[in-house]
Every structure is written in structure tokens, then in C-alpha cells.
Amino acid sequence: MQTIQSTSYPVLFQENGYNTLNDFIKSKAFKTVFILVDENTHEHCLPILQQEITADVVFEVIEIESGEVNKNLGTCMSVWHALTDLGADRKSLLINIGGGVITDMGGFVASTYKRGIQFINIPTTLLSMVDASVGGKTGVDLGVLKNQIGLFADPEMVIIDPLYLKTLSEKEITSGMAEIIKYGLTYDASLWKQFTDETKEVDLVGMIHRSIEIKNEVVLEDRLEANLRKILNYGHTIGHAVESHFLESDDKETLTHGQAIALGMITEAYISSKLFNFPLSDLEIIKTTITRIFGKVPVLKTDYPAVIDLMKHDKKNVNGQVNFVLLESIETCKIDCKVSVDLIQESLDYYLL
Amino acid sequence: MQTIQSTSYPVLFQENGYNTLNDFIKSKAFKTVFILVDENTHEHCLPILQQEITADVVFEVIEIESGEVNKNLGTCMSVWHALTDLGADRKSLLINIGGGVITDMGGFVASTYKRGIQFINIPTTLLSMVDASVGGKTGVDLGVLKNQIGLFADPEMVIIDPLYLKTLSEKEITSGMAEIIKYGLTYDASLWKQFTDETKEVDLVGMIHRSIEIKNEVVLEDRLEANLRKILNYGHTIGHAVESHFLESDDKETLTHGQAIALGMITEAYISSKLFNFPLSDLEIIKTTITRIFGKVPVLKTDYPAVIDLMKHDKKNVNGQVNFVLLESIETCKIDCKVSVDLIQESLDYYLL
């Protein structure tokens, strides 16, 4: 697979990635490389990586507990302390190997440790490969508010190796599909078509490459999310709020990010049909296709007020206005759309139908 | 006083600063401006600022407890939560009004809140005026390690108004003098001469302007501290370690930053005389002059091991090597100097003589 050049760094695939990594470690003469993992990537992914690193270097592995609930400043503190105790200095390198929690948090930890050290991301989940590989977003949650604390910071490189996907459950693979669907709906109808046409065989590696390519095109044009980049938030306004609500409710099972965004894409397509005449035929296909893949999130009418309240804290809001990305048609987005609370509730009713 | 243009923003003096601030608030159409203060600047400095802001805007004041012991992530969390609760969004503005704790921490909080909001610094202590006005360093302490967590981020502008100095104790004014002396010793002999010549009247405002000008020249040439900027660490290798040690010792009184750096400048001048033949006559003048202004820090021989241990955690170190900035002569520095533990101890003995 061809290398994708992002803002200041390359996204490298497989062998090509490892070769570049080895050259990088040698050229910078690192004696020690710090590696951030969780218990899963420690067991399943780190051995793969270690086999590929031929450079003569000592690994110091820092393990944190997996899961979005640990993506917070408390965990950052423990990593900063570990780096300090292990003697990491301003010229050290941190390799983050894991899902979005590890790469988002590891990027934040690295870029704020002693005012910033170099880091490399190796996403091991489908979601983090297609979502977190480019864009430079790092951060952690503040209470239930996702990515409330963070900054824009670029890794030295990103390495994509589909081999890591073999360590994932089917549920995790499916979760990542939601973002790929999003790229299809907002940017590339032919990518979307691969989901609606059940007869076609799924080319997962090709989809990953195309998704990163799309995100990269969008990010290169609009890194700071003034305009175009906002389309990447399609499905995420309602999706994030539902995800946060389920996370903070003791009596609810935590959703995968994909399940939440799946719900968000259906409800926001419904709103699009009401406000921008998004074709009803496409709306029905979206609902059918996405529900076939993700099933239905057990959201209740009694959850609506909490979900709507959470939307008000979305980072995308300015002056207290909730901003939606909506669809005029497949591939054609409208950004900064205001939506009434009534219509949001109606869209959730439609989802539950 | 003339405006000093730094990397991406101006350092503005007095009336000129407030006029620019008012224009800025109007041009960006802020409805709310968030202001970070501590209990001291809330009482003594905020009223001065509020009188100067004529723009039609609501102030939301966030108060934290003063003092270096509060320059930590726990305090950041409380400010991030306050910003969230008060509805600050990505386009909000935070004005930090206070000493280095407020401007360093406020800059860090702003540049990591929702991946970065705009901020303005109004330093109100002599130390923060001459030290923190330019350079873009933001951060907080991690345990006893000063500024271990942070990043480089520029404010929109910095406003200097010597009127705020009238709210300070003499001890605080003196503390700030240490940094001005440092600029003299490392960069401008005529500035240093203003301290050795007791017959001359002190032109404080002129010294502030000249100090910021010097720091700005250094920072513009070397923002990321690859070379020249390191000279700003003169007196800080031993000074910071002693400061940290006193902070973490229950039985010791906390030092002002100036007292610690005063000790650092004397001991590091002594080391300079041993390693680079820094003139003994100048060494004696440095010791006499600085001791006259700052008195003597009650460091004990039994403190030496802890102080030396703390130096090993200095951010300036690479590969575990403690790096000193030393003097060949007034205005002529040597960077990246290695110093033996024995010589460090000897320099402390000389200080205590």
C-alpha cells in the first residue's frame, strides 16, 4: 500500500512502516524507546512490533488499563510519572501502540511531557486506523466530556499494519466500520456502495487505505476545523451524546463508538431529510444497511433529555449553539446547521421505529 | 514604552496595551471574557484591569488559590471544569492576570481546553513581567518537578503595566530582580552595572523593558532551546533544585524564586571560575552584590545529596547528564557544561562561606 503524506509526517503501511521506523531509531541514536500499551496490546501487539524492530535499542514498556473510562488525566499522571521515573528526557521517543484511547492519550502525554517529546502512533484497532491516523488531534476526557482536554500535535510517523486487526474481536472490527461508512456518506459514494451491495466481497485493507486518504485530504485542507473538516463530525453530534450518556449511566451497557455513531448517522440522516430534502430512498437504505451491521442501540424515550443536555457541551458548539453536519445528498454536506430539540427527539423516534 | 514584537504577538505597555485589548475584544465580538485570577490579583489587580476595559463584555472570573504549591494538574482540573460550567467554547478568550503561576498555568489550561482557546497574559509581578512575558512556555509542576507538564503556546498579546507592582510586597519585587540580574550577567554588562553601582538610582520600568527585550532577542533566535536560549537557564540548574528541595521539605521555609536563583547564580559563577577562569574579581562582586540584595539561603550540608538528586530530573538534561550554563566572562556564556558532583558541593560550600 502506498504511503500517505499528511501534514508533517507520513502514514506508512506494513513492511514499509517498520523499515522507516528502524531507520528513524538508528538515525536519532535512541538508546531507549518508551512504548505505551494497554494489557491487550501488551499481550497481542507488542510482540509483533518487537519482532519488527531490528534497531539496537532498549524498550521501556508503560502499561495502562484499557478502556475509554481510563482516558483521563489520572491515567496521564501515571504515565507522566512513569516516564519521569524511567528517565525519559526531552529527546526521548514514545511509541503508542493501541486503539484510539492509547494514541489520543499517548499523543497528549508526549506533547505535554517536558513541553513535548517525539511520538509515533501504531493504531491497532480498525477505528483508530481510519479515524486517529491523521489529523493531529490528541486528548483525554474530562468527566463525561470526550476529548475536552487536548491539543493538536503531530506524530513523527504513523504505521498501519492490518496484522494487528487479527487480535480484535468481531465487535471491535464492526465498531470501526462506522467511521468508514461516514467517509462514504459524506465524501465518497463508491465507498458507501461497498456497504449497500451485499454481493460484493469486502476489501478491508483497501477500505482502510481509502478512509485514511479521505481523512487526510479533508485535514490537509482544513486542519483547524474552520470549515471542511467539520464534515468528519457527521453522525457524531447525536452519536457522541448517546455514547457519553450510556457511559455515565450505571444501568446501561457501554456502547462501542461504532454503535453510537451508527445511531448518530441514522438520526442525522433523518434530520437531513426534514431540513434539506435528503432523499427518503437513501434514508431508508442508510437505516437498513447500518442497522443490519450494528443492530439497534437500546435508547429509551426517558434518555432523551440527558442526551440533549450532553449535546450542549459538544466542543463543536460556539455561543451555546449545537452545530450539526447534515446531508443534502450522499457526498454533499451542509455544516453549522441548527436543529430544534423537537426535531432531534423526532429523529430518535424514527431510529427506534 | 515601545511595544516589543515577539514571535507571533506583541508585548504592549500600559495605555497602549489596554487600547489594543479593547480593540481586540470588539473586533472578535466576544460576549464573555473569562479571567483567571488568584485571591490577591482578584482583590488588587482585577479592579485596575476592569476599569481599563471599556469594551461591552461580561466578565466571568475564575479564582484559584495563589502559590507555587497550587501550580498542578489538580488546579488545572478545577479551571477546566469552571470553564466548562461557565460555557466557554472554542472561540472563548481567557485573560490570565497574576504572577508566573497564573500565566504559566493559565496558558497551559487555555491551550489544552477543547484543543486550545485564545489567551492573553497580564503579568502582575516583577518576576512574571521579565521572565514569563515572552517565550511561549506554559506548564504546571508534577510533584516537586517544576514545569514538568506543559507546552509551547503563544498568547494573543501580553500587557505590561508597572502599576500592578504597587500591589506587591518588597520581598516579591526583590524576587524578580534575580532574573534581571541574570539578563545582565549573561547578556548585558551595562544592565548588570546598574546593580553593582549603588550610587545610581534604579530605573525599574527601564529595566523591565530592557529585560523583556533581551529575552525576546534570545527567544526569537532560538525558540525551542536548541542553543542560545539555554543561557536563560544561568543560575537555574542549582537554583531550581534548591527551590524544589525547600518546597518539599516540611521543616524548611519556602524560598522565593529570586532567592533560589540568587544562590544559583553565585554557585554557578564559582563553578565558572573553576572551569573557565571566570575572573575572581567578578566572582567576588557577584557574591557581594547578590548577597546584599537577597541575603543568604539557609542551605545545609545535609541538604546537598537531595539537591544534587533533584538536578538529575531537570528538564534540560539529556541522557541523564546534568547540563550547566556557565560564564567565561560577564556577557559570555558556555552552554551544555558538565560539572562533577564534587564541584557542585564545593560551590555550595563557597556560597555558605
Side-chain angles (χ1 to χ4, degrees), chain A residues 277-294:
Chain A
N277 287 319
F278 179 74
L280 289 177
S281 55
D282 283 330
L283 174 62
E284 276 304 310
I285 297 172
I286 286 174
K287 189 177 178 184
T288 313
T289 306
I290 292 181
T291 309
R292 169 169 53 77
I293 300 173
F294 291 93

mmCIF file of all heavy atoms in Angstrom, chain A residues 277-294:
data_model
loop_
_atom_site.group_PDB
_atom_site.id
_atom_site.type_symbol
_atom_site.label_atom_id
_atom_site.label_comp_id
_atom_site.label_asym_id
_atom_site.label_seq_id
_atom_site.Cartn_x
_atom_site.Cartn_y
_atom_site.Cartn_z
ATOM 1 N N ASN A 277 -34.177 18.092 2.432
ATOM 2 C CA ASN A 277 -34.719 17.175 1.412
ATOM 3 C C ASN A 277 -33.753 16.069 1.017
ATOM 4 O O ASN A 277 -33.724 15.649 -0.149
ATOM 5 C CB ASN A 277 -35.121 17.956 0.150
ATOM 6 C CG ASN A 277 -36.378 18.749 0.399
ATOM 7 O OD1 ASN A 277 -37.311 18.245 1.039
ATOM 8 N ND2 ASN A 277 -36.394 19.986 -0.072
ATOM 9 N N PHE A 278 -32.970 15.596 1.963
ATOM 10 C CA PHE A 278 -32.140 14.428 1.689
ATOM 11 C C PHE A 278 -33.093 13.307 1.259
ATOM 12 O O PHE A 278 -34.101 13.058 1.917
ATOM 13 C CB PHE A 278 -31.359 14.043 2.952
ATOM 14 C CG PHE A 278 -30.491 12.836 2.788
ATOM 15 C CD1 PHE A 278 -29.299 12.891 2.058
ATOM 16 C CD2 PHE A 278 -30.865 11.613 3.352
ATOM 17 C CE1 PHE A 278 -28.506 11.777 1.901
ATOM 18 C CE2 PHE A 278 -30.063 10.493 3.203
ATOM 19 C CZ PHE A 278 -28.881 10.566 2.467
ATOM 20 N N PRO A 279 -32.795 12.623 0.128
ATOM 21 C CA PRO A 279 -33.766 11.677 -0.443
ATOM 22 C C PRO A 279 -34.215 10.596 0.546
ATOM 23 O O PRO A 279 -33.380 9.971 1.195
ATOM 24 C CB PRO A 279 -32.990 11.050 -1.605
ATOM 25 C CG PRO A 279 -31.937 12.041 -1.960
ATOM 26 C CD PRO A 279 -31.576 12.719 -0.680
ATOM 27 N N LEU A 280 -35.508 10.405 0.607
ATOM 28 C CA LEU A 280 -36.062 9.409 1.531
ATOM 29 C C LEU A 280 -35.593 7.997 1.195
ATOM 30 O O LEU A 280 -35.423 7.154 2.079
ATOM 31 C CB LEU A 280 -37.592 9.482 1.533
ATOM 32 C CG LEU A 280 -38.159 10.733 2.220
ATOM 33 C CD1 LEU A 280 -39.688 10.758 2.099
ATOM 34 C CD2 LEU A 280 -37.752 10.772 3.700
ATOM 35 N N SER A 281 -35.385 7.748 -0.123
ATOM 36 C CA SER A 281 -34.919 6.413 -0.521
ATOM 37 C C SER A 281 -33.533 6.143 0.074
ATOM 38 O O SER A 281 -33.270 5.058 0.615
ATOM 39 C CB SER A 281 -34.867 6.313 -2.044
ATOM 40 O OG SER A 281 -34.064 7.376 -2.554
ATOM 41 N N ASP A 282 -32.661 7.147 0.007
ATOM 42 C CA ASP A 282 -31.325 6.980 0.607
ATOM 43 C C ASP A 282 -31.422 6.826 2.129
ATOM 44 O O ASP A 282 -30.684 6.051 2.732
ATOM 45 C CB ASP A 282 -30.426 8.182 0.275
ATOM 46 C CG ASP A 282 -29.891 8.119 -1.154
ATOM 47 O OD1 ASP A 282 -29.720 6.986 -1.659
ATOM 48 O OD2 ASP A 282 -29.655 9.183 -1.753
ATOM 49 N N LEU A 283 -32.343 7.594 2.723
ATOM 50 C CA LEU A 283 -32.532 7.499 4.174
ATOM 51 C C LEU A 283 -32.881 6.070 4.580
ATOM 52 O O LEU A 283 -32.318 5.520 5.532
ATOM 53 C CB LEU A 283 -33.641 8.459 4.612
ATOM 54 C CG LEU A 283 -34.063 8.382 6.090
ATOM 55 C CD1 LEU A 283 -32.901 8.740 7.023
ATOM 56 C CD2 LEU A 283 -35.253 9.308 6.375
ATOM 57 N N GLU A 284 -33.779 5.478 3.808
ATOM 58 C CA GLU A 284 -34.200 4.107 4.128
ATOM 59 C C GLU A 284 -33.040 3.122 3.969
ATOM 60 O O GLU A 284 -32.854 2.213 4.783
ATOM 61 C CB GLU A 284 -35.381 3.701 3.233
ATOM 62 C CG GLU A 284 -36.725 4.164 3.762
ATOM 63 C CD GLU A 284 -37.009 3.672 5.191
ATOM 64 O OE1 GLU A 284 -36.861 2.462 5.453
ATOM 65 O OE2 GLU A 284 -37.354 4.513 6.047
ATOM 66 N N ILE A 285 -32.254 3.309 2.883
ATOM 67 C CA ILE A 285 -31.095 2.420 2.678
ATOM 68 C C ILE A 285 -30.084 2.579 3.815
ATOM 69 O O ILE A 285 -29.515 1.610 4.314
ATOM 70 C CB ILE A 285 -30.423 2.717 1.305
ATOM 71 C CG1 ILE A 285 -31.402 2.406 0.159
ATOM 72 C CG2 ILE A 285 -29.140 1.896 1.136
ATOM 73 C CD1 ILE A 285 -30.901 2.848 -1.215
ATOM 74 N N ILE A 286 -29.875 3.820 4.234
ATOM 75 C CA ILE A 286 -28.942 4.077 5.350
ATOM 76 C C ILE A 286 -29.422 3.338 6.596
ATOM 77 O O ILE A 286 -28.661 2.632 7.258
ATOM 78 C CB ILE A 286 -28.831 5.595 5.625
ATOM 79 C CG1 ILE A 286 -28.001 6.276 4.516
ATOM 80 C CG2 ILE A 286 -28.200 5.873 6.990
ATOM 81 C CD1 ILE A 286 -27.942 7.795 4.602
ATOM 82 N N LYS A 287 -30.704 3.497 6.889
ATOM 83 C CA LYS A 287 -31.220 2.874 8.114
ATOM 84 C C LYS A 287 -31.106 1.349 8.035
ATOM 85 O O LYS A 287 -30.656 0.698 8.984
ATOM 86 C CB LYS A 287 -32.681 3.295 8.345
ATOM 87 C CG LYS A 287 -33.212 2.869 9.710
ATOM 88 C CD LYS A 287 -34.624 3.363 9.956
ATOM 89 C CE LYS A 287 -35.144 2.879 11.305
ATOM 90 N NZ LYS A 287 -36.545 3.270 11.517
ATOM 91 N N THR A 288 -31.502 0.789 6.895
ATOM 92 C CA THR A 288 -31.473 -0.667 6.741
ATOM 93 C C THR A 288 -30.037 -1.200 6.803
ATOM 94 O O THR A 288 -29.745 -2.162 7.519
ATOM 95 C CB THR A 288 -32.077 -1.060 5.364
ATOM 96 O OG1 THR A 288 -33.304 -0.340 5.188
ATOM 97 C CG2 THR A 288 -32.335 -2.554 5.302
ATOM 98 N N THR A 289 -29.158 -0.574 6.038
ATOM 99 C CA THR A 289 -27.768 -1.059 5.956
ATOM 100 C C THR A 289 -27.073 -0.953 7.308
ATOM 101 O O THR A 289 -26.445 -1.910 7.779
ATOM 102 C CB THR A 289 -26.985 -0.225 4.916
ATOM 103 O OG1 THR A 289 -27.689 -0.234 3.680
ATOM 104 C CG2 THR A 289 -25.589 -0.785 4.720
ATOM 105 N N ILE A 290 -27.197 0.200 7.922
ATOM 106 C CA ILE A 290 -26.482 0.418 9.190
ATOM 107 C C ILE A 290 -27.054 -0.465 10.293
ATOM 108 O O ILE A 290 -26.309 -1.019 11.111
ATOM 109 C CB ILE A 290 -26.510 1.919 9.567
ATOM 110 C CG1 ILE A 290 -25.658 2.711 8.546
ATOM 111 C CG2 ILE A 290 -26.001 2.152 10.983
ATOM 112 C CD1 ILE A 290 -25.574 4.200 8.783
ATOM 113 N N THR A 291 -28.389 -0.613 10.306
ATOM 114 C CA THR A 291 -28.988 -1.457 11.339
ATOM 115 C C THR A 291 -28.587 -2.922 11.140
ATOM 116 O O THR A 291 -28.385 -3.652 12.117
ATOM 117 C CB THR A 291 -30.529 -1.313 11.335
ATOM 118 O OG1 THR A 291 -30.854 0.071 11.371
ATOM 119 C CG2 THR A 291 -31.143 -2.000 12.534
ATOM 120 N N ARG A 292 -28.483 -3.341 9.867
ATOM 121 C CA ARG A 292 -28.023 -4.709 9.602
ATOM 122 C C ARG A 292 -26.640 -4.952 10.202
ATOM 123 O O ARG A 292 -26.363 -5.998 10.787
ATOM 124 C CB ARG A 292 -27.994 -4.947 8.074
ATOM 125 C CG ARG A 292 -27.284 -6.247 7.659
ATOM 126 C CD ARG A 292 -27.496 -6.598 6.176
ATOM 127 N NE ARG A 292 -27.155 -5.522 5.238
ATOM 128 C CZ ARG A 292 -25.907 -5.178 4.876
ATOM 129 N NH1 ARG A 292 -24.870 -5.790 5.407
ATOM 130 N NH2 ARG A 292 -25.703 -4.202 4.001
ATOM 131 N N ILE A 293 -25.772 -3.975 10.097
ATOM 132 C CA ILE A 293 -24.388 -4.146 10.578
ATOM 133 C C ILE A 293 -24.286 -3.963 12.095
ATOM 134 O O ILE A 293 -23.596 -4.710 12.779
ATOM 135 C CB ILE A 293 -23.442 -3.144 9.864
ATOM 136 C CG1 ILE A 293 -23.471 -3.386 8.350
ATOM 137 C CG2 ILE A 293 -22.010 -3.257 10.401
ATOM 138 C CD1 ILE A 293 -22.721 -2.351 7.521
ATOM 139 N N PHE A 294 -25.009 -2.970 12.627
ATOM 140 C CA PHE A 294 -24.780 -2.572 14.030
ATOM 141 C C PHE A 294 -25.894 -2.970 14.988
ATOM 142 O O PHE A 294 -25.732 -2.814 16.197
ATOM 143 C CB PHE A 294 -24.580 -1.052 14.113
ATOM 144 C CG PHE A 294 -23.292 -0.608 13.501
ATOM 145 C CD1 PHE A 294 -23.233 -0.218 12.175
ATOM 146 C CD2 PHE A 294 -22.117 -0.620 14.239
ATOM 147 C CE1 PHE A 294 -22.042 0.174 11.591
ATOM 148 C CE2 PHE A 294 -20.919 -0.240 13.672
ATOM 149 C CZ PHE A 294 -20.876 0.153 12.337
#
